[in-house]
Amino acid sequence: MDGLSGKLYLICAFSLAGTSVIAARFVTGKLGTFTITAVSLFFALVFLLPLCRKQLVRYLRLMSLRNFLFLSLQALCGIFLFRMFLLWGLHYTGSGEAGILTGATPAITALLAMIVLREPVSGRKLAGILCTVGGVLIIQGVLTPGKGLSLEHIGGNLLILCAAACESAFNTLSRISAVKAAADLKEPASPLAQTAIVSAIALILCLIPAAFEHPLKELAGIGMLEWTALLWYGVFVTALAFICWYSGIKRCGAFTAAAYSGMMPLTSLLLATAVLGESAGYQQWLGGLLVILGMFLIGTEGL
């Protein structure tokens, strides 16, 4: 039962995370990268702190220095660097394409699970990794006759792939942290408290670079749509998604998490076409299907 609930939590977490590309599109170019992240994290903390005040105090008292360092690394990779690369990349590539490219996350997470966590790899998992890589190459045009890498979008696409690598590092660190915390705390860690701590650390990391983006002047010039996007980014993409993530990763292994992280590109692609009206050609859909196939192959043994 724990395994099933863990998978449901992961589906919710990555589906919510997939909306980050869409929410970011409404504020990219209107606000600075670090301003967007800082404001969304502020909204996340405003939402979280009333819900977890007692749990947070207890968690901080029990938390070891090692747990704190792991949470700090998760904040750096999963929020600060991930959003930095994602928001920069969206300046140069479309939301649908960016969403699909985050589909590299399952393959990178699977590789890290093998190398860092020393989890064994089967033929199905290897096939899933190859499907994901092939899907990304098709999106880039490498495997399509008569087409090559798009010079116009290559920089943005590489930034999105860097974001996917940061997300994978976060996934791996979270799994290590979940195992270590269970041993150190002698009781289940609170997903609410973990989310609040990670959000607070990431907010502190964003404050200095955000100050150089003239945030007050830029925030004064945005409208209700942009504020709604920032609120969504904070409450749903950050707070609720991370609560679901921490609830799921303590119940599931790294390969299962890698499989379900494929929900990010699927959600992003569908919303980019439905909400933003972006067109997706056969090349993107074919690449997206391979990425999703890779998601299922990687996680087959854990399902």
Side-chain angles (χ1 to χ4, degrees), residues 164-179:
C166 290
E167 178 70 16
S168 298
F170 167 77
N171 294 347
T172 306
L173 286 166
S174 297
R175 181 57 187 167
I176 297 173
S177 180
V179 174

Side-chain angles (χ1 to χ4, degrees), residues 15 18-26 90 93-102 263-281 284-285:
S15 296
T19 67
S20 62
V21 175
I22 311 304
R25 174 58 71 191
F26 290 111
L90 284 172
T93 193
S95 300
E97 189 170 0
I100 297 173
L101 286 170
T102 60
M263 289 300 298
M264 280 181 64
L266 179 61
T267 303
S268 297
L269 178 61
L270 293 175
L271 288 177
T273 55
V275 178
L276 300 180
E278 293 189 2
S279 60
Q284 288 180 311
W285 286 111

Side-chain angles (χ1 to χ4, degrees), residues 4-5 7 13 24 27 29 46 65 78 91 94 108 112 125 127 160 184 219 231 234 266 270 275 287 289:
L4 177 60
S5 62
K7 292 165 189 174
V27 288
V46 169
L65 177 60
H91 284 285
I108 300 172
L112 288 175
K125 291 171 183 174
I160 301 300
D184 291 349
L219 288 169
L231 183 64
L266 179 61
L270 293 175
V275 178
L289 286 173

Side-chain angles (χ1 to χ4, degrees), residues 101-232:
L101 286 170
T102 60
T105 300
I108 300 172
T109 303
L111 288 172
L112 288 175
M114 288 187 291
I115 296 170
V116 179
L117 302 178
R118 300 186 183 279
E119 293 190 10
V121 62
S122 66
R124 285 183 181 275
K125 291 171 183 174
L126 181 59
I129 294 171
L130 293 176
C131 279
T132 302
V133 173
V136 172
L137 291 177
I138 288 176
I139 293 165
Q140 296 286 10
V142 174
L143 304 182
T144 304
K147 295 194 71 174
L149 290 174
S150 170
L151 294 177
E152 182 180 2
H153 293 137
I154 186 62
N157 290 345
L158 287 174
L159 288 170
I160 301 300
L161 288 174
C162 287
C166 290
E167 178 70 16
S168 298
F170 167 77
N171 294 347
T172 306
L173 286 166
S174 297
R175 181 57 187 167
I176 297 173
S177 180
V179 174
K180 301 291 185 184
D184 291 349
L185 298 177
K186 308 300 182 184
E187 63 179 60
S190 165
L192 278 166
Q194 287 176 298
T195 302
I197 293 170
V198 167
S199 299
I201 294 171
L203 176 58
I204 293 171
L205 291 174
C206 290
L207 288 178
I208 293 178
F212 290 96
E213 296 175 340
H214 309 291
L216 296 180
K217 180 180 178 182
E218 290 188 340
L219 288 169
I222 64 174
M224 183 60 66
L225 178 62
E226 290 77 15
W227 280 110
T228 302
L230 289 171
L231 183 64
W232 179 276

